[in-house]
Amino acid sequence: MKKAALGVIFGLMIFVIAACGTGKSKQLNMQVQPFEFINQDGKSVALADLQGKVWVADFVFTYCSTVCPTMTANMSELQKRLKTEGVEAELISFSVDPERDDPAALKNYLTKFNADFSNWHALTGYDFESIKTFVLKSFRATIAKDMASDQVIHGTSFYLVDQAGMVVAKYDGMTDTPFDQIMKDIKALQE
């Protein structure tokens, strides 16, 4: 009994130590699945177009009445910081409500947040089941339609993706977004 209890405690200690890491953002190692969708201008954007570039992804929709406006404002703030510091990175917002979020709706939505479309793409052009599968396989996140409303349930993380299309870190995109850490991590990938 003592050995079993000590084994459990030791296992938990190893887990906690491993989870603590270096105090940086949560480190991930997930390959983004190939995709080719359309952006707010009706132009094709594919994973192949992002090869060799660092990018930050999130999941939003234009009819969102809860978390999306705050997340999109935070993504806008990240874009401002990238410009101010002269750091190149793409921003990719995947719509989780593609049936309603056509390119015009996405462009109108991001314009309200002063988006600069030179490096920020809001993507659509797929069905709900396709984005649900893509989000699960690429980012290990889930989305679901809220059967009690017209809303879509989704996570509030920002995901940092490296030049090879690997998700390497995720951050809180809703509250206490760690802008300084995101900037530091983006710069580290570009060294």
Side-chain angles (χ1 to χ4, degrees), residues 145-188:
K145 290 187 178 183
D146 182 354
M147 295 308 172
S149 73
D150 66 347
Q151 299 293 289
V152 178
I153 301 165
H154 62 90
T156 59
S157 295
F158 287 176
Y159 296 87
L160 179 61
V161 184
D162 72 10
Q163 296 91 329
M166 295 293 289
V167 180
V168 296
K170 79 176 186 178
Y171 317 87
D172 187 332
M174 179 67 190
T175 55
D176 299 322
T177 302
F179 295 108
D180 292 340
Q181 185 65 55
I182 296 170
M183 292 295 295
K184 181 179 176 185
D185 291 349
I186 290 171
K187 291 174 185 175

Short mmCIF file of all heavy atoms in Angstrom, two decimals, residues 145-188:
data_model
loop_
_atom_site.label_atom_id
_atom_site.label_comp_id
_atom_site.label_asym_id
_atom_site.label_seq_id
_atom_site.Cartn_x
_atom_site.Cartn_y
_atom_site.Cartn_z
N LYS A 145 -21.79 23.43 -31.94
CA LYS A 145 -22.93 24.35 -32.03
C LYS A 145 -23.68 24.29 -30.71
O LYS A 145 -23.91 23.22 -30.17
CB LYS A 145 -23.83 23.97 -33.20
CG LYS A 145 -23.17 24.23 -34.54
CD LYS A 145 -24.13 24.01 -35.69
CE LYS A 145 -23.43 24.36 -37.01
NZ LYS A 145 -24.33 24.24 -38.15
N ASP A 146 -24.05 25.46 -30.22
CA ASP A 146 -24.86 25.56 -29.00
C ASP A 146 -26.31 25.35 -29.41
O ASP A 146 -26.89 26.18 -30.10
CB ASP A 146 -24.66 26.92 -28.35
CG ASP A 146 -25.44 27.07 -27.05
OD1 ASP A 146 -26.23 26.17 -26.71
OD2 ASP A 146 -25.25 28.10 -26.38
N MET A 147 -26.88 24.23 -29.02
CA MET A 147 -28.24 23.89 -29.44
C MET A 147 -29.30 24.81 -28.82
O MET A 147 -30.43 24.85 -29.27
CB MET A 147 -28.55 22.43 -29.11
CG MET A 147 -27.68 21.46 -29.88
SD MET A 147 -27.77 21.82 -31.64
CE MET A 147 -26.53 20.73 -32.28
N ALA A 148 -28.94 25.57 -27.79
CA ALA A 148 -29.89 26.45 -27.12
C ALA A 148 -29.88 27.87 -27.70
O ALA A 148 -30.65 28.72 -27.29
CB ALA A 148 -29.60 26.50 -25.63
N SER A 149 -28.96 28.13 -28.65
CA SER A 149 -28.85 29.48 -29.23
C SER A 149 -28.25 29.38 -30.63
O SER A 149 -28.03 28.29 -31.14
CB SER A 149 -27.96 30.35 -28.33
OG SER A 149 -26.61 29.97 -28.46
N ASP A 150 -27.95 30.53 -31.22
CA ASP A 150 -27.32 30.55 -32.54
C ASP A 150 -25.80 30.70 -32.42
O ASP A 150 -25.13 31.04 -33.38
CB ASP A 150 -27.89 31.69 -33.39
CG ASP A 150 -27.55 33.07 -32.83
OD1 ASP A 150 -27.07 33.16 -31.67
OD2 ASP A 150 -27.76 34.05 -33.56
N GLN A 151 -25.27 30.43 -31.25
CA GLN A 151 -23.85 30.61 -30.99
C GLN A 151 -23.07 29.31 -31.25
O GLN A 151 -23.64 28.23 -31.34
CB GLN A 151 -23.63 31.06 -29.54
CG GLN A 151 -24.29 32.40 -29.22
CD GLN A 151 -23.66 33.55 -29.98
OE1 GLN A 151 -22.55 33.95 -29.70
NE2 GLN A 151 -24.38 34.08 -30.97
N VAL A 152 -21.75 29.46 -31.36
CA VAL A 152 -20.84 28.32 -31.51
C VAL A 152 -19.91 28.33 -30.30
O VAL A 152 -19.34 29.36 -29.95
CB VAL A 152 -20.02 28.42 -32.82
CG1 VAL A 152 -19.06 27.25 -32.94
CG2 VAL A 152 -20.94 28.48 -34.04
N ILE A 153 -19.78 27.19 -29.68
CA ILE A 153 -18.90 27.06 -28.51
C ILE A 153 -17.50 26.73 -29.01
O ILE A 153 -17.31 25.79 -29.79
CB ILE A 153 -19.42 25.95 -27.57
CG1 ILE A 153 -20.84 26.28 -27.11
CG2 ILE A 153 -18.47 25.77 -26.38
CD1 ILE A 153 -21.57 25.11 -26.49
N HIS A 154 -16.53 27.52 -28.59
CA HIS A 154 -15.15 27.32 -29.03
C HIS A 154 -14.19 27.85 -27.99
O HIS A 154 -14.57 28.61 -27.10
CB HIS A 154 -14.91 28.00 -30.38
CG HIS A 154 -15.10 29.50 -30.34
ND1 HIS A 154 -14.08 30.36 -30.06
CD2 HIS A 154 -16.21 30.25 -30.53
CE1 HIS A 154 -14.55 31.60 -30.09
NE2 HIS A 154 -15.84 31.56 -30.36
N GLY A 155 -12.93 27.48 -28.12
CA GLY A 155 -11.90 27.93 -27.19
C GLY A 155 -11.50 29.37 -27.43
O GLY A 155 -11.85 29.97 -28.46
N THR A 156 -10.75 29.91 -26.48
CA THR A 156 -10.34 31.31 -26.56
C THR A 156 -8.82 31.48 -26.63
O THR A 156 -8.29 32.52 -26.26
CB THR A 156 -10.89 32.08 -25.34
OG1 THR A 156 -10.40 31.48 -24.14
CG2 THR A 156 -12.41 32.09 -25.32
N SER A 157 -8.14 30.47 -27.12
CA SER A 157 -6.68 30.53 -27.19
C SER A 157 -6.18 31.15 -28.49
O SER A 157 -6.86 31.11 -29.52
CB SER A 157 -6.09 29.12 -27.08
OG SER A 157 -6.36 28.55 -25.83
N PHE A 158 -4.98 31.73 -28.40
CA PHE A 158 -4.20 32.11 -29.57
C PHE A 158 -3.14 31.03 -29.71
O PHE A 158 -2.54 30.62 -28.71
CB PHE A 158 -3.50 33.45 -29.37
CG PHE A 158 -4.40 34.66 -29.43
CD1 PHE A 158 -3.88 35.92 -29.17
CD2 PHE A 158 -5.75 34.57 -29.73
CE1 PHE A 158 -4.68 37.05 -29.23
CE2 PHE A 158 -6.56 35.70 -29.77
CZ PHE A 158 -6.01 36.95 -29.53
N TYR A 159 -2.89 30.57 -30.94
CA TYR A 159 -1.92 29.51 -31.20
C TYR A 159 -0.78 30.06 -32.03
O TYR A 159 -1.01 30.65 -33.09
CB TYR A 159 -2.58 28.36 -31.95
CG TYR A 159 -3.67 27.67 -31.16
CD1 TYR A 159 -4.97 28.15 -31.18
CD2 TYR A 159 -3.39 26.54 -30.38
CE1 TYR A 159 -5.97 27.53 -30.45
CE2 TYR A 159 -4.38 25.92 -29.65
CZ TYR A 159 -5.67 26.41 -29.69
OH TYR A 159 -6.66 25.80 -28.96
N LEU A 160 0.45 29.84 -31.58
CA LEU A 160 1.63 30.24 -32.33
C LEU A 160 2.09 29.08 -33.20
O LEU A 160 2.30 27.97 -32.71
CB LEU A 160 2.76 30.66 -31.38
CG LEU A 160 4.08 31.08 -32.02
CD1 LEU A 160 3.89 32.30 -32.93
CD2 LEU A 160 5.11 31.38 -30.93
N VAL A 161 2.23 29.36 -34.50
CA VAL A 161 2.61 28.33 -35.47
C VAL A 161 3.94 28.74 -36.11
O VAL A 161 4.11 29.89 -36.52
CB VAL A 161 1.52 28.17 -36.55
CG1 VAL A 161 1.86 27.03 -37.50
CG2 VAL A 161 0.15 27.92 -35.90
N ASP A 162 4.86 27.79 -36.18
CA ASP A 162 6.18 28.10 -36.74
C ASP A 162 6.21 28.00 -38.26
O ASP A 162 5.20 27.70 -38.91
CB ASP A 162 7.27 27.25 -36.08
CG ASP A 162 7.26 25.78 -36.49
OD1 ASP A 162 6.53 25.40 -37.45
OD2 ASP A 162 7.98 25.00 -35.86
N GLN A 163 7.38 28.23 -38.82
CA GLN A 163 7.57 28.28 -40.27
C GLN A 163 7.28 26.95 -40.96
O GLN A 163 7.02 26.92 -42.16
CB GLN A 163 9.00 28.72 -40.60
CG GLN A 163 9.33 30.14 -40.15
CD GLN A 163 9.93 30.23 -38.76
OE1 GLN A 163 9.64 29.42 -37.87
NE2 GLN A 163 10.78 31.23 -38.54
N ALA A 164 7.30 25.85 -40.21
CA ALA A 164 7.05 24.52 -40.78
C ALA A 164 5.61 24.07 -40.57
O ALA A 164 5.25 22.94 -40.88
CB ALA A 164 8.01 23.50 -40.17
N GLY A 165 4.76 24.97 -40.03
CA GLY A 165 3.36 24.62 -39.81
C GLY A 165 3.12 23.82 -38.54
O GLY A 165 2.10 23.13 -38.43
N MET A 166 4.04 23.93 -37.58
CA MET A 166 3.87 23.25 -36.29
C MET A 166 3.34 24.24 -35.26
O MET A 166 3.87 25.34 -35.11
CB MET A 166 5.21 22.70 -35.78
CG MET A 166 5.79 21.60 -36.63
SD MET A 166 4.83 20.07 -36.62
CE MET A 166 5.16 19.50 -34.97
N VAL A 167 2.27 23.84 -34.55
CA VAL A 167 1.77 24.65 -33.44
C VAL A 167 2.76 24.45 -32.29
O VAL A 167 2.95 23.33 -31.83
CB VAL A 167 0.36 24.22 -33.01
CG1 VAL A 167 -0.13 25.07 -31.85
CG2 VAL A 167 -0.61 24.27 -34.18
N VAL A 168 3.40 25.52 -31.87
CA VAL A 168 4.45 25.40 -30.85
C VAL A 168 4.05 25.96 -29.49
O VAL A 168 4.69 25.65 -28.49
CB VAL A 168 5.77 26.05 -31.34
CG1 VAL A 168 6.32 25.31 -32.54
CG2 VAL A 168 5.59 27.52 -31.65
N ALA A 169 3.01 26.79 -29.45
CA ALA A 169 2.59 27.36 -28.16
C ALA A 169 1.16 27.85 -28.26
O ALA A 169 0.66 28.12 -29.36
CB ALA A 169 3.51 28.51 -27.76
N LYS A 170 0.50 27.93 -27.10
CA LYS A 170 -0.82 28.54 -27.07
C LYS A 170 -0.90 29.47 -25.87
O LYS A 170 -0.20 29.28 -24.87
CB LYS A 170 -1.94 27.52 -27.10
CG LYS A 170 -2.25 26.82 -25.82
CD LYS A 170 -3.47 25.91 -26.02
CE LYS A 170 -3.90 25.30 -24.70
NZ LYS A 170 -5.10 24.47 -24.87
N TYR A 171 -1.75 30.48 -26.01
CA TYR A 171 -1.86 31.54 -25.01
C TYR A 171 -3.32 31.88 -24.81
O TYR A 171 -4.14 31.65 -25.68
CB TYR A 171 -1.15 32.81 -25.51
CG TYR A 171 0.18 32.60 -26.15
CD1 TYR A 171 0.27 32.32 -27.52
CD2 TYR A 171 1.35 32.66 -25.41
CE1 TYR A 171 1.50 32.13 -28.13
CE2 TYR A 171 2.59 32.47 -26.02
CZ TYR A 171 2.65 32.20 -27.37
OH TYR A 171 3.87 32.01 -27.96
N ASP A 172 -3.61 32.51 -23.69
CA ASP A 172 -4.96 32.98 -23.42
C ASP A 172 -5.23 34.17 -24.34
O ASP A 172 -4.55 35.19 -24.26
CB ASP A 172 -5.07 33.40 -21.95
CG ASP A 172 -6.49 33.76 -21.54
OD1 ASP A 172 -7.27 34.20 -22.41
OD2 ASP A 172 -6.81 33.61 -20.35
N GLY A 173 -6.21 34.04 -25.21
CA GLY A 173 -6.54 35.12 -26.13
C GLY A 173 -7.67 36.00 -25.63
O GLY A 173 -8.07 36.94 -26.30
N MET A 174 -8.16 35.70 -24.44
CA MET A 174 -9.35 36.39 -23.93
C MET A 174 -9.02 37.35 -22.78
O MET A 174 -9.30 38.52 -22.86
CB MET A 174 -10.35 35.32 -23.48
CG MET A 174 -11.62 35.82 -22.90
SD MET A 174 -12.61 36.65 -24.13
CE MET A 174 -13.83 37.35 -23.05
N THR A 175 -8.46 36.81 -21.70
CA THR A 175 -8.14 37.64 -20.55
C THR A 175 -6.66 37.49 -20.23
O THR A 175 -6.09 36.41 -20.36
CB THR A 175 -8.96 37.22 -19.31
OG1 THR A 175 -8.75 35.83 -19.07
CG2 THR A 175 -10.44 37.45 -19.51
N ASP A 176 -6.04 38.55 -19.84
CA ASP A 176 -4.61 38.54 -19.50
C ASP A 176 -3.78 37.97 -20.65
O ASP A 176 -2.87 37.16 -20.43
CB ASP A 176 -4.35 37.74 -18.22
CG ASP A 176 -5.06 38.35 -17.02
OD1 ASP A 176 -5.12 39.59 -16.94
OD2 ASP A 176 -5.57 37.59 -16.18
N THR A 177 -4.09 38.37 -21.87
CA THR A 177 -3.32 37.90 -23.02
C THR A 177 -1.88 38.33 -22.84
O THR A 177 -1.60 39.52 -22.66
CB THR A 177 -3.92 38.47 -24.32
OG1 THR A 177 -5.28 38.06 -24.41
CG2 THR A 177 -3.16 37.98 -25.54
N PRO A 178 -0.94 37.38 -22.87
CA PRO A 178 0.48 37.69 -22.59
C PRO A 178 1.20 38.24 -23.83
O PRO A 178 2.04 37.59 -24.43
CB PRO A 178 1.04 36.34 -22.16
CG PRO A 178 0.24 35.35 -22.96
CD PRO A 178 -1.15 35.94 -23.04
N PHE A 179 0.86 39.47 -24.20
CA PHE A 179 1.41 40.06 -25.42
C PHE A 179 2.94 40.04 -25.44
O PHE A 179 3.54 39.73 -26.47
CB PHE A 179 0.92 41.50 -25.61
CG PHE A 179 -0.56 41.60 -25.84
CD1 PHE A 179 -1.40 42.09 -24.85
CD2 PHE A 179 -1.13 41.19 -27.04
CE1 PHE A 179 -2.77 42.19 -25.05
CE2 PHE A 179 -2.50 41.28 -27.26
CZ PHE A 179 -3.32 41.78 -26.26
N ASP A 180 3.56 40.38 -24.32
CA ASP A 180 5.03 40.42 -24.28
C ASP A 180 5.61 39.03 -24.55
O ASP A 180 6.59 38.89 -25.28
CB ASP A 180 5.54 40.95 -22.93
CG ASP A 180 5.22 42.43 -22.74
OD1 ASP A 180 4.96 43.12 -23.76
OD2 ASP A 180 5.21 42.89 -21.58
N GLN A 181 5.01 38.00 -23.97
CA GLN A 181 5.50 36.63 -24.18
C GLN A 181 5.28 36.19 -25.63
O GLN A 181 6.14 35.56 -26.24
CB GLN A 181 4.80 35.65 -23.24
CG GLN A 181 5.34 34.23 -23.32
CD GLN A 181 6.78 34.13 -22.86
OE1 GLN A 181 7.10 34.55 -21.75
NE2 GLN A 181 7.66 33.60 -23.69
N ILE A 182 4.13 36.53 -26.19
CA ILE A 182 3.86 36.17 -27.58
C ILE A 182 4.91 36.82 -28.49
O ILE A 182 5.48 36.17 -29.37
CB ILE A 182 2.43 36.58 -28.00
CG1 ILE A 182 1.38 35.80 -27.19
CG2 ILE A 182 2.23 36.33 -29.50
CD1 ILE A 182 -0.05 36.31 -27.37
N MET A 183 5.16 38.10 -28.26
CA MET A 183 6.16 38.81 -29.07
C MET A 183 7.54 38.16 -28.92
O MET A 183 8.25 37.95 -29.91
CB MET A 183 6.21 40.28 -28.67
CG MET A 183 4.96 41.07 -29.01
SD MET A 183 4.65 41.22 -30.78
CE MET A 183 6.05 42.19 -31.30
N LYS A 184 7.89 37.85 -27.70
CA LYS A 184 9.18 37.21 -27.43
C LYS A 184 9.29 35.87 -28.15
O LYS A 184 10.31 35.54 -28.77
CB LYS A 184 9.34 37.02 -25.92
CG LYS A 184 10.66 36.40 -25.48
CD LYS A 184 10.71 36.28 -23.96
CE LYS A 184 11.96 35.57 -23.52
NZ LYS A 184 11.98 35.35 -22.07
N ASP A 185 8.22 35.09 -28.10
CA ASP A 185 8.22 33.76 -28.74
C ASP A 185 8.27 33.87 -30.27
O ASP A 185 8.93 33.08 -30.93
CB ASP A 185 7.00 32.95 -28.29
CG ASP A 185 7.06 32.55 -26.82
OD1 ASP A 185 8.13 32.71 -26.20
OD2 ASP A 185 6.04 32.08 -26.30
N ILE A 186 7.56 34.86 -30.83
CA ILE A 186 7.60 35.07 -32.27
C ILE A 186 9.03 35.43 -32.70
O ILE A 186 9.58 34.87 -33.65
CB ILE A 186 6.62 36.17 -32.71
CG1 ILE A 186 5.17 35.67 -32.58
CG2 ILE A 186 6.89 36.61 -34.16
CD1 ILE A 186 4.11 36.76 -32.78
N LYS A 187 9.64 36.35 -31.97
CA LYS A 187 11.02 36.77 -32.29
C LYS A 187 12.00 35.60 -32.18
O LYS A 187 12.90 35.46 -33.01
CB LYS A 187 11.46 37.91 -31.37
CG LYS A 187 10.74 39.21 -31.63
CD LYS A 187 11.14 40.24 -30.58
CE LYS A 187 10.34 41.51 -30.73
NZ LYS A 187 10.64 42.48 -29.64
N ALA A 188 11.80 34.76 -31.16
CA ALA A 188 12.70 33.60 -30.97
C ALA A 188 12.61 32.64 -32.15
O ALA A 188 13.62 32.06 -32.56
CB ALA A 188 12.35 32.88 -29.67
#
